[in-house]
Amino acid sequence: MSELVELTAAAAAAKLRAREIDPGELFDAYRARAAADELNAFTWVAESARPAAETPLGGVPLAVKDLFCTEGVPSQAGSKILEGYRPPYTATVVSNLDRAGAPLLGKTNQDEFAMGSSNENSAFGPVLNPWDRGRVPGGSSGGSAAAVAAGLAPWAIGTDTGGSIRQPAALCGIVGVKPTYGACSRYGMIAFASSLDQAGPLTRDVTDAALLLSHMVGHDALDSTSVAFPEPIALPSAERLDGIRLGVPEDLLGATGAAEGTGIDPGVMANFEATLELAQQLGATVQPCRLPHAPHALSAYYLIAPAEASANLARYDGVRYGLRVAGDADLETMYSKTRAVGFGPEVKRRIMLGTYALSSGYYDAYYGTAQKVRTKIAEDFRAAFADVHFVVTPTSPWTAFELGSKTADPLAMYLNDFCTVPMSLAGIPAVSIPSGLSDGLPVGFQLAGPAFSEGRMLDAAYALERAIGFDGRAARV
Amino acid sequence: MLDRAQVLHVARLARLELDEEEVERMASELSKVLGHVDRVRELDLEGVQPTSHAVDLAGVMRADEPIPCLTNEQALAEAPEPVDGGFGVPSPGPSGE
Amino acid sequence: MTAAEFEPVDRRPMTGRQGGGLMTDYEPVIGLEIHVQLKTRTKMFCGCELSFGDPPNIHTCPTCLGLPGALPVINARAVDFAVMIGLALGSEIAPRSIFHRKSYFYPDSPKGYQISQYDIPICRGGQLDDVRIHRVHLEEDAAKLVHVGESGRIHGSDRSVVDFNRCGTPLVEVVSEPDLRSARQAHEWLTLLRVTLRQLGVSDVNMDEGSLRCDANVSIRPVGSSELGTKTELKNMNSFRFLERGVDAEIERQTALARAGAPVVQETLHFDPGTGRLTPLRSKEEAHDYRYFPEPDLVPLLVTEEMLAAARAQVPELPAARAQRFERELGLHPDRARDLAFRAELADYYEAALAAAPDGPVTPVEIANWIPQLVERIRSDADADPNPADSRVSAAALAALAGMVAAKEVSRDAAREVLTALVAGGGDPRAVVEREGLGALSGEDGDGLAAIVDSAIAADPDAAEKLRAGNMKAIGPLVGYVMRETKGRADGGEVTRLIRERVGVG
Ligand SMILES: [Mg+2]
Ligand SMILES: [Zn+2]
C-alpha cells in the first residue's frame, strides 16, 4: 500500500500501463487515504472508479477542485450557496482527464468561489497545511495542494485566477502550473473571473505536471475563449540550462516593491537567490529585466477580477438551484437574504468592490483604467521576452502563514498575489516549483514564459527541479 | 472613498442584505482597498487600448445545429421550488426589461 | 398581416386633432425600439432548439439555465440574419463588434445579466422609408414568467413560475431615430419594418406570439423647435392597435401636462389597453444601473467579407423597393402597389399573373385590380390573410380573365361571376364563360342585344322621350333594364351606343 502511494503519478501510470500494478488497488489505496483526510482537503470522496487500463494514464486517480462541475457529484465551489449542489454535467477538463485515464478520486476544498489565498474562505472550513497543521495551505486551490503534498492524492487539478494554483503549490511544497489563458477549456469550471480563470495541474513533480497538462489542454467548442494548443506537450528531459536567459524583474523584487510594504520575506528571498545560483551552475544566464507596470498589476487585478466576479455570481439568486432563504417573502427580500446568507464575507467584499467598479460613473475610472493597465502589463512581458526566455520570481512573498493571521486585513491577504498576478493579467503560463525550505516551510520558485511556451518552461523547471532535489516526503501523511 | 450611503446603494445593486455592522465594515474595508487600487489612476494611459482578454481571438462561432437538451426532471432537479414543471418564485412587479 | 393593417393609410403629416387632444402648438417626437426573435434553429448562445407553446423547461441546457460553469457560444446563423437585416436597412455593418453583459436581477434572467451589445453594435445607422435607423444589435431573449397566484407550495404568498424554453432565443433589437411624428405613422412604419423582416425570412414577426415586440419613446415639443423634450418609454405594446392607441394616449397626456405647465417626468410606462391608461413601471433615476462591461466569456464578433457577400446574396427585393417598382414601372396606384408589395405572397402571385398575361390590351394595372377581388373571395374567418397561390385560381387563369375583360370578351360584372366560379372549381375562365353562357353580348353577332335594347325602349317610352329631348340622365333606367335582362353580360359601352342609336340621339 504505502509503496504504491510513494510512486509519482507518471511512474504509477507507466506501471499501470505495463500491468505491473492493479488500478483498483491503486485507487483503493488513495481512496482510503483521502477518506481518512485530517487536513479537510476533501469535500467529497468517490466510492469507486471505472477501469481505465487501455488509457494513456492507466487509471491514476485525480483530485479535483470543488469548483469543477462533475455530473451527479457535489460541486459547491466552497460556498454555502451551492451546498449539496450536484450539476447535470461535467467540466470539459475533467471529462478529458477521465477519458485519458485519470478517474475522479474526490473533490477538494477551496476558498469560496476561488476568492482567497489561504483557504480560510471556504464554507466547509479551512484546509490545514500538511507541513504544519497550524498554518494555511494557501489558496484558493488549497485542498488540491494539501491533498497532493500529503499524499492523499497522486495528483490534482485546480484553477488559477491570480495565483490560486501557484501560491498553494508553493506553500505546500509541490509543483503548480497556470497554463496560457485559453489552453484549457473553462467549460464547467464555476467562474470567478472569466478573463483570468485557468485550470491547471498540481503535482508532486514537474514530470507529473507535464503529463497531466498534456491531457488537459485542447480546443473546446463549448468555450469560445479556448484555443488549440499549438504543439504536443512532451515530458520534460532537460538536464542543463545552457543558453537560457532568466530575467529577474527588478520592478517587482527591487526596492519599489519592498518600499510599498510588499517586501519579500528574507528567508524566501535568500532561497530565491540560492535557486538563481543553481540555475547559473546549470548554464543559465541570470539578468535583470523590466516590467515597469507590474507593480500596478495587483491594483488592476483587484478591479478586474471583482468586476467580473460580481456579474458571474449574480446567477446565485435562489431561483433555479442552490440555497434559497426567505422564499415566502417578496422577490427582492428573497434575493438579498439568499445572497446575504449564502455568500461568505470575502465573496461579499469582492461582489461589492466589483459592483462599485462597474457602477454608473465609475466604470472609466476603475474598470476601464484597469483594462488599460492590463494592456501595458502584457506589453511589458512581450518586451521582456525579447531579451530573456523566462521571467523568474519567488512565487509567494512568504511561506505558509498561521491560520487566522491575515484574515483581519483583506489588503494584506491580497498582497499574497503580488508576484503571480502580473502573469495572470498577461495570460501567460507560469509554473511554481518547490525550491527548498525556509524555517522548515516550503518556498516556491516561479518561472513564467511567453504564451504557449509550456513545453520549454516545464523543461527548464525540470532541470532546476533535479538540481534542487527537493524532498517533499516530510509532508506525507 | 465609500460612505455609508454608497455602500447601501452598491449593496442594493448587488442584492446583498447587509446588517449595520457589515455596512460599517464594508465602508472601511472597501475604502482601504480602493485607496490602494486608486494608484492605477496615477499612470499615464492616454491612448492605451483596453485589453479584455489576454488571448487575441475573434470571430468564434458555432453552427446553428441543435444539441440534446436536459429533460424537465434534470432542469428542475435542484430547484428550490418546482411548480408545474417550472421554477416557482415570489411574484415580482413588472420588469420593464 | 391582419385586415386592419390593410386599411388605406393617410400619409400626410399630422396636424390638428390627434387622439382626441388638440395639437396646435406641440408636435410629438417618437422613436421605436423593436425586438425581433430570429428564426434560427437554435438559441443565441447554446444549441437548444427554439420552440413555441411546448411544455415548460424542456428546451434547456446548462448555458440557457445559467448553471454554474456553463459558457455561451455565438450562433453563426443569428449573426448572418442580423447582417441581412442591417443590409436591408442600409446600415453600416461593423467588421468587429463586441458583446457586453447587461446586469439586472429578475427571475427571467438566469445569469443575472443579459448578453447584449452596447457601444459597438453589429449594425449602425441606416434608413427605412423616411425614418432613420440608429442601430441594430444582437442579444438574447429572457425566460417567460407566468403568474400563478397562490396555487404554489408556499401559501399566503403570490407566486410566479419561470419557464426557460424561450430563454436565450436570438433577438435583434432595431432602434429607430426619433423621426416619427404621429402614432399612425409609427404604426405604418412598424408595418413596413415587419413586412421587410418577413420578406428577409429571418423572423416570424408575429406580435401575438411575441416574435415582434415594440417599445416606443415618446416626447413632445413646440412646433418649430428642434430640441427634444423629456421622453417616456412605453413598454411592450403587443399589437399594432395598442401601439397606436398607447402612443396617442401618451401624446395626449404629455400635451395636457405641457399645457398645464407641468414637467414630463422621464419614466417607463405600461399601457393598459383595457382602460386606455398609462401606469409607470419604474422611474429611471432610482432604477437601473446596468453595469455594462465586455462579456469576458466571448471574443469579438467578426463579420468577414465572405459573410457579407453571402448575406447580400440572400437579401431579396424588399417590400419598399418592390412597391416603388410596381408604381414606377407598372403604373400602379401607390396604395395598390404597397398593398401588393407589403405582402410578398400577393406580389409574387401578381408577378406570376403578369408573366402569364395574354397578348392584347390588358394592362398591369387591370391585372392588379383583380387581386383584391380574388383575396376577398378566398378570405375566411380561419384565414384572414389567405395566399392566392393556395387557391384554385391559378395566376394564369386570373390573367386570362383580366385579358378577356380588357378585350371586351366578357363584361366586368360577368367576369366577377366567372371569378367566383373559378374560386369554387378552378379551371380555365374561357371554359367557365362557355359553360355558364357568360360571354359578352355585343349586338353585332346576332346575340339579341339589339332586340333587348328595343324592348327596353318599348318598356319605358317616358325615358326614351326625355333622352330624345336631350336629358342624357334618362339613359340610366334604360341601361339598367338591359343589364338586368342580360344578367350583366352586356358591355356597358355597347349598350349605351345601341340605345342612343335606336332613340336617335347619335
Ligand atoms: Mg434589448
Ligand atoms: Zn440551452
Side-chain angles (χ1 to χ4, degrees):
Chain A
M1 278 289 209
S2 65
E3 267 169 43
L4 278 181
V5 299
E6 281 308 308
L7 294 169
T8 66
K15 285 188 185 293
L16 285 167
R17 280 198 311 272
R19 304 191 190 249
E20 289 168 26
I21 55 176
D22 176 64
E25 210 175 305
L26 182 73
F27 184 88
D28 289 342
Y30 277 111
R31 201 208 104 72
R33 292 173 70 82
D37 165 32
E38 290 175 349
L39 304 171
N40 198 27
F42 283 90
T43 52
W44 179 88
V45 178
E47 285 299 323
S48 59
R50 58 188 175 82
E54 302 306 320
T55 57
L57 300 176
V60 182
L62 178 76
V64 171
K65 190 177 183 177
D66 197 16
L67 61 66
F68 287 92
C69 284
T70 41
E71 186 179 341
V73 168
S75 305
Q76 313 162 112
S79 184
K80 183 178 166 124
I81 212 159
L82 280 178
E83 189 165 0
Y85 173 67
R86 290 168 191 259
Y89 76 110
T90 297
T92 300
V93 160
V94 177
S95 43
N96 283 353
L97 288 175
D98 182 60
R99 249 197 322 277
L104 180 63
L105 171 64
K107 299 296 287 288
T108 56
N109 203 345
Q110 59 166 97
D111 282 304
E112 183 177 6
F113 289 107
M115 297 178 192
S117 306
S118 70
N119 226 302
E120 292 165 294
N121 297 335
S122 169
F124 307 105
V127 178
L128 312 181
N129 191 316
W131 290 84
D132 176 346
R133 296 188 182 192
R135 292 177 187 269
V136 304
S140 66
S141 309
S144 285
V148 171
L152 308 183
W155 52 12
I157 57 172
T159 58
D160 190 313
T161 305
S164 278
I165 287 174
R166 291 161 286 165
Q167 186 257 11
L171 269 49
C172 287
I174 61 166
V175 174
V177 181
K178 183 205 94 74
T180 306
Y181 184 84
C184 300
S185 169
R186 292 184 298 113
Y187 189 75
M189 251 165 64
I190 299 178
F192 162 17
S194 310
S195 77
L196 298 160
D197 294 345
Q198 206 32 220
L202 294 106
T203 56
R204 282 184 212 169
D205 67 17
V206 176
T207 304
D208 282 1
L211 181 61
L212 195 54
L213 181 63
S214 69
H215 293 284
M216 292 174 75
V217 299
H219 173 251
D220 179 8
L222 298 174
D223 175 2
S224 308
T225 64
S226 90
V227 287
F229 206 84
E231 59 196 16
I233 295 170
L235 294 192
S237 59
E239 293 181 2
R240 303 267 314 159
L241 293 173
D242 296 310
I244 299 292
R245 289 187 301 281
L246 302 179
V248 179
E250 54 187 29
D251 301 284
L252 281 176
L253 307 181
T256 327
E260 297 187 28
T262 57
I264 291 161
D265 174 86
V268 169
M269 204 61 205
N271 174 280
F272 177 65
E273 274 154 12
T275 309
L276 292 178
E277 196 66 38
L278 263 181
Q280 282 171 309
Q281 287 168 23
L282 291 174
T285 310
V286 176
Q287 63 189 78
C289 72
R290 291 296 315 270
L291 295 173
H293 297 86
H296 293 280
L298 205 60
S299 298
Y301 175 82
Y302 275 97
L303 289 170
I304 293 169
E308 293 182 7
S310 71
N312 281 333
L313 272 57
R315 67 187 61 195
Y316 306 104
D317 59 3
V319 173
R320 284 144 296 129
Y321 46 80
L323 182 74
R324 171 187 284 194
V325 176
D328 51 358
D330 63 278
L331 181 71
E332 294 298 310
T333 306
M334 189 273 273
Y335 278 157
S336 55
K337 280 193 189 295
T338 295
R339 293 164 60 79
V341 173
F343 292 136
E346 181 59 28
V347 170
K348 288 183 194 172
R349 198 149 39 225
R350 298 207 198 179
I351 290 175
M352 291 288 291
L353 186 57
T355 304
Y356 178 70
L358 291 175
S359 67
S360 174
Y362 296 98
Y363 179 91
D364 289 337
Y366 288 121
Y367 192 77
T369 303
Q371 297 283 54
K372 290 179 178 179
V373 173
R374 188 169 187 179
T375 305
K376 298 306 284 182
I377 288 167
E379 284 172 6
D380 285 356
F381 273 109
R382 267 196 294 278
F385 288 132
D387 287 332
V388 301
H389 293 97
F390 304 106
V391 168
V392 293
T393 72
T395 309
S396 165
W398 40 68
T399 55
F401 43 93
E402 285 175 13
L403 284 158
S405 64
K406 290 188 196 288
T407 42
D409 183 358
L411 195 54
M413 190 69 92
Y414 295 172
L415 293 175
N416 268 296
D417 302 330
F418 188 68
C419 290
T420 48
V421 150
M423 296 77 182
S424 299
L425 289 173
I428 58 174
V431 56
S432 175
I433 59 169
S435 54
L437 300 176
S438 169
D439 284 337
L441 293 169
V443 177
F445 180 87
Q446 175 178 233
L447 280 110
F452 301 108
S453 69
E454 277 87 339
R456 280 176 286 137
M457 180 182 84
L458 293 176
D459 223 23
Y462 175 77
L464 263 180
E465 175 185 69
R466 284 169 53 106
I468 294 164
F470 181 80
D471 185 352
R473 277 178 298 184
R476 307 274 158 79
V477 176
Chain B
M1 297 310 94
L2 256 75
D3 59 26
R4 235 188 91 79
Q6 281 173 301
V7 168
L8 288 172
H9 171 69
V10 174
R12 152 97 186 112
L13 281 178
R15 301 297 188 277
L16 276 176
E17 186 185 78
L18 301 179
D19 60 32
E20 260 322 298
E21 189 251 317
E22 282 177 304
V23 173
E24 294 302 321
R25 196 153 39 83
M26 275 303 173
S28 100
E29 285 172 351
L30 293 182
S31 294
K32 203 171 157 196
V33 174
L34 285 169
H36 184 86
V37 302
D38 246 350
R39 295 187 312 182
V40 295
R41 298 207 261 174
E42 295 162 11
L43 293 168
D44 178 15
L45 298 166
E46 191 66 30
V48 176
Q49 283 300 308
T51 297
S52 11
H53 269 112
V55 279
D56 190 20
L57 209 58
V60 178
M61 299 192 285
R62 63 179 178 84
D64 183 26
E65 277 156 17
I67 49 129
C69 288
L70 297 172
T71 63
N72 182 267
E73 292 69 34
Q74 285 176 309
L76 289 165
E78 298 276 334
E81 186 190 343
V83 179
D84 303 334
F87 299 84
V89 288
S91 283
S95 133
E97 290 319 317
Chain C
M1 186 177 294
T2 62
E5 290 163 44
F6 234 150
E7 288 164 14
V9 288
D10 178 3
R11 299 181 54 77
R12 287 168 302 170
M14 190 210 65
T15 50
R17 288 181 67 85
Q18 181 72 17
L22 263 178
M23 284 286 305
T24 48
D25 47 355
Y26 290 98
E27 74 168 348
V29 175
I30 305 157
L32 299 184
E33 290 180 20
I34 301 106
H35 285 90
V36 183
Q37 282 185 341
L38 298 181
K39 220 163 64 175
T40 50
R41 281 188 76 187
T42 66
K43 295 184 180 181
M44 184 67 223
F45 297 114
C46 65
C48 291
E49 242 169 320
L50 301 191
S51 61
F52 182 80
D54 276 356
N57 296 299
I58 60 165
H59 299 283
T60 71
C61 72
T63 297
C64 60
L65 271 184
L67 297 191
L71 298 171
V73 187
I74 298 167
N75 181 339
R77 195 191 306 264
V79 174
D80 290 340
F81 283 179
V83 172
M84 286 168 66
I85 292 171
L87 290 173
L89 299 179
S91 306
E92 199 179 307
I93 313 292
R96 187 183 172 97
S97 62
I98 306 287
F99 282 97
H100 273 64
R101 290 185 181 178
K102 176 185 183 181
S103 288
Y104 68 93
F105 283 91
Y106 205 71
D108 67 4
S109 168
K111 303 183 293 297
Y113 54 85
Q114 179 195 31
I115 305 178
S116 181
Q117 294 194 298
Y118 183 52
D119 52 357
I120 314 178
I122 186 164
C123 311
R124 240 196 274 254
Q127 187 153 341
L128 179 66
D129 213 9
D130 44 6
V131 174
R132 290 168 303 149
I133 304 294
H134 178 60
R135 60 185 275 155
V136 177
H137 73 247
L138 272 165
E139 58 184 32
E140 55 179 342
D141 206 348
K144 214 162 158 179
L145 201 59
V146 180
H147 184 247
V148 292
E150 288 191 21
S151 65
R153 278 196 325 207
I154 299 172
H155 295 284
S157 163
D158 197 28
R159 312 311 286 177
S160 291
V161 172
V162 199
D163 170 13
F164 289 90
N165 283 348
R166 189 184 75 177
C167 187
T169 297
L171 286 183
V172 148
E173 183 175 331
V174 178
V175 183
S176 86
E177 295 289 357
D179 287 352
L180 296 155
R181 293 290 174 268
S182 73
R184 184 70 219 173
Q185 197 196 351
H187 175 150
E188 286 164 28
W189 188 77
L190 184 60
T191 303
L192 173 60
L193 178 67
R194 179 165 179 260
V195 295
T196 302
L197 294 171
R198 182 154 57 187
Q199 181 106 26
L200 285 173
V202 297
S203 172
D204 289 329
V205 282
N206 185 329
M207 280 192 119
D208 295 338
E209 293 182 356
S211 52
L212 180 72
R213 308 197 283 268
C214 183
D215 305 336
N217 294 312
V218 178
S219 64
I220 58 166
R221 66 183 174 197
V223 170
S225 162
S226 59
E227 272 167 46
L228 294 174
T230 304
K231 69 178 179 188
T232 54
E233 199 179 354
L234 275 60
K235 279 283 180 191
N236 277 333
M237 284 159 294
N238 53 8
S239 82
F240 283 86
R241 216 153 38 88
F242 292 168
L243 166 70
E244 198 170 333
R245 281 170 52 189
V247 170
D248 266 339
E250 178 56 8
I251 292 169
E252 200 179 331
R253 189 187 72 90
Q254 289 190 14
T255 306
L257 282 174
R259 292 254 155 76
V264 173
V265 179
Q266 182 173 342
E267 60 189 342
T268 302
L269 300 167
H270 176 80
F271 175 69
D272 182 345
T275 63
R277 221 173 299 154
L278 295 154
T279 39
L281 277 179
R282 58 177 153 81
S283 176
K284 271 260 156 129
E285 297 88 330
E286 58 152 87
H288 285 205
D289 181 343
Y290 290 124
R291 287 158 283 144
Y292 279 103
F293 75 102
E295 164 60 288
D297 286 331
L298 293 173
V299 296
L301 173 62
L302 299 185
V303 177
T304 61
E305 281 303 323
E306 296 76 61
M307 287 164 70
L308 266 181
R312 254 186 222 113
Q314 283 184 74
V315 174
E317 183 187 31
L318 296 167
R322 204 173 196 185
Q324 243 174 28
R325 179 164 60 81
F326 287 173
E327 200 181 319
R328 285 210 194 119
E329 294 177 17
L330 305 177
L332 264 54
H333 185 276
D335 288 347
R336 177 59 41 83
R338 282 167 65 101
D339 288 350
L340 294 179
F342 283 17
R343 270 182 62 191
E345 68 276 18
L346 296 190
D348 290 347
Y349 184 87
Y350 172 53
E351 298 209 69
L354 281 181
D359 293 337
V362 67
T363 65
V365 172
E366 287 169 329
I367 294 179
N369 290 341
W370 282 100
I371 308 269
Q373 301 258 0
L374 171 56
V375 169
E376 190 170 313
R377 279 167 174 75
I378 59 177
R379 178 178 291 149
S380 66
D381 286 346
D383 190 0
D385 302 308
N387 181 352
D390 298 336
S391 77
R392 292 182 158 167
V393 186
S394 72
L398 192 80
L401 183 59
M404 289 169 73
V405 174
K408 299 191 190 305
E409 292 168 35
V410 61
S411 75
R412 208 169 290 281
D413 284 347
R416 290 197 181 99
E417 275 183 56
V418 175
L419 184 59
T420 304
L422 288 173
V423 165
D428 172 37
R430 216 168 287 278
V432 174
V433 167
E434 300 258 310
R435 190 175 71 232
E436 309 282 332
L438 290 170
L441 302 174
S442 67
E444 285 166 13
D445 46 5
D447 54 17
L449 184 59
I452 295 171
V453 168
D454 287 343
S455 61
I457 293 167
D460 195 349
D462 234 32
E465 195 51 45
K466 282 180 187 156
L467 183 61
R468 211 170 279 122
N471 182 356
M472 286 306 160
K473 275 188 190 159
I475 201 169
L478 299 173
V479 173
Y481 181 97
V482 175
M483 287 306 184
R484 267 194 310 279
E485 286 297 301
T486 61
K487 296 191 172 72
R489 287 166 61 200
D491 180 81
E494 184 63 12
V495 171
T496 309
R497 191 187 64 75
L498 273 173
I499 292 172
R500 291 161 70 111
E501 184 188 286
R502 298 281 161 150
V503 172
V505 290

